Amino acid sequence: MKRKAFVSILGGVFLILLAATLAACGGEATKAPSVTEASTEPPNESGAATYAVDLIAAWVNAGSPETDAFDYEGVDGNTYQATFEVDILPLFTSNNAWFEGSQACVGCHFAASENSYHQLNMSTYEGIMTGADSLESPPGVSILGQAEVGVGDFDWDHSKLRERLRNNRMPPGWEFDITEENRNGPCVEVGAEGVTVKLGEYGCDLHAVGLIGAWVEAEAPNGEFTYGDTTLTFERDVLPFFTQDGMWFDGSQACTGCHFAASESSYHQMDLSTYEGIIAGADSLEEPPGVSILGQSKPGVGPFDWDHSKLRERLRNNRMAPGWEFDITESNRNGPLVMAGKKK
């Protein structure tokens, strides 16, 4: 009797814990799909190999076919063919696909349900086509650059998926947060004396990225602008986010540690230490007059477009898959070399 009672109690406790777990996930849980393990053997860096992001780009630019083969260029310059099922889908459904130890995308994005992050299902073709937030913002938000889900005007260069796969999280070393609460940087308070940064606090109405965005949207003045109903200035309130250590999180390096001059020895030939340098943008020697980081078509040529600016991308977009090692040379931005397809 005692043994039966113990087993009954143990079973009851298990059911209570299970119910609590399901409740914490927002109700009835959706079962995650099975995850495969990608090979950790280094691929042959010749022939049909290509970078993972470039392979996905070729698929999207071909109209994202479900069953038809699509062309891509291998590292040897020849044209090869691949398919979604064999060559694209495993990049989302396999552990170790992006780097050794990386979690499969479907570990977090496994269904169009409340308990799947962004209500996104990356385990099937249909789920990827539906995109994100399909319950919150029906019919969903395309991750492949379409203006609307199902419209067909794929735009890989401006797609949400490309942002997540390719853009390193800046500044380097930021802790990955699957809730994305830290994507806009730390909270800030504004007042007559300027900006106060609240390190370690996130999710506020006023935050670091919003502050810089307000400055850009005011046409990036070398003087006053308004944020949080308060008059602020570039020199006092914006520039320190680029020039001072510890502005983004405890121990963060100043942007100017790597981007300090329009010279070959400064990454992207970019100077973030002055107003003139920020306006001049990146690659001013390689691609004169430079590439605007504030969303202009060319440096010095308005209008400013903060939502599509390079600076906003770097400050706001978490590096996916989570846990990627930061590489200041950016050699890992297109993911690993993958073997795919057959020679055409």
Side-chain angles (χ1 to χ4, degrees), residues 194-261:
V195 172
T196 301
V197 180
K198 313 293 285 186
L199 290 182
E201 296 183 21
Y202 305 106
C204 304
D205 291 336
L206 301 182
H207 43 73
V209 172
L211 170 71
I212 298 171
W215 169 68
V216 174
E217 289 172 349
E219 300 299 308
N222 190 6
E224 295 183 344
F225 67 100
T226 300
Y227 184 58
D229 297 324
T230 303
T231 299
L232 304 173
T233 69
F234 168 80
E235 190 78 23
R236 182 190 65 186
D237 303 305
V238 174
L239 190 59
F241 282 98
F242 303 113
T243 60
Q244 293 183 14
D245 294 332
M247 288 295 289
W248 293 90
F249 56 92
D250 189 23
S252 64
Q253 178 185 351
C255 303
T256 50
C258 294
H259 309 293
F260 50 83

Side-chain angles (χ1 to χ4, degrees), residues 141-333:
V141 178
S142 173
I143 62 173
L144 303 181
Q146 296 173 286
E148 295 180 16
V149 172
V151 171
D153 54 338
F154 297 101
D155 182 1
W156 173 249
D157 287 344
H158 298 99
S159 68
K160 298 295 183 184
L161 181 58
R162 182 181 184 273
E163 284 184 355
R164 290 300 195 276
L165 293 177
R166 193 168 190 272
N167 291 315
N168 289 79
R169 184 67 169 94
M170 295 286 278
W174 198 291
E175 179 184 359
F176 178 81
D177 181 358
I178 192 63
T179 68
E180 299 187 334
E181 190 177 56
N182 66 358
R183 288 184 66 198
N184 285 318
C187 298
V188 298
E189 292 180 353
V190 296
E193 301 301 317
V195 172
T196 301
V197 180
K198 313 293 285 186
L199 290 182
E201 296 183 21
Y202 305 106
C204 304
D205 291 336
L206 301 182
H207 43 73
V209 172
L211 170 71
I212 298 171
W215 169 68
V216 174
E217 289 172 349
E219 300 299 308
N222 190 6
E224 295 183 344
F225 67 100
T226 300
Y227 184 58
D229 297 324
T230 303
T231 299
L232 304 173
T233 69
F234 168 80
E235 190 78 23
R236 182 190 65 186
D237 303 305
V238 174
L239 190 59
F241 282 98
F242 303 113
T243 60
Q244 293 183 14
D245 294 332
M247 288 295 289
W248 293 90
F249 56 92
D250 189 23
S252 64
Q253 178 185 351
C255 303
T256 50
C258 294
H259 309 293
F260 50 83
S263 70
E264 292 289 353
S265 55
S266 176
Y267 279 101
H268 280 290
Q269 303 153 11
M270 183 161 59
D271 180 9
L272 295 180
S273 68
T274 67
Y275 177 82
E276 293 75 18
I278 293 170
I279 296 299
D283 304 319
S284 57
L285 303 181
E286 185 178 325
E287 299 180 30
V291 178
S292 173
I293 62 172
L294 304 181
Q296 296 175 288
S297 57
K298 293 181 181 179
V301 179
F304 295 95
D305 183 0
W306 173 246
D307 287 343
H308 299 99
S309 68
K310 298 294 183 184
L311 180 58
R312 183 179 184 273
E313 283 184 355
R314 290 301 195 275
L315 293 177
R316 193 168 190 274
N317 291 316
N318 289 79
R319 184 65 169 96
M320 298 284 276
W324 198 293
E325 179 183 0
F326 178 80
D327 181 358
I328 191 62
T329 69
E330 299 187 335
S331 62
N332 67 357
R333 287 184 67 199

Side-chain angles (χ1 to χ4, degrees), residues 27-39:
E28 184 178 350
T30 302
K31 185 178 179 181
S34 59
V35 175
T36 59
E37 298 290 330
S39 172

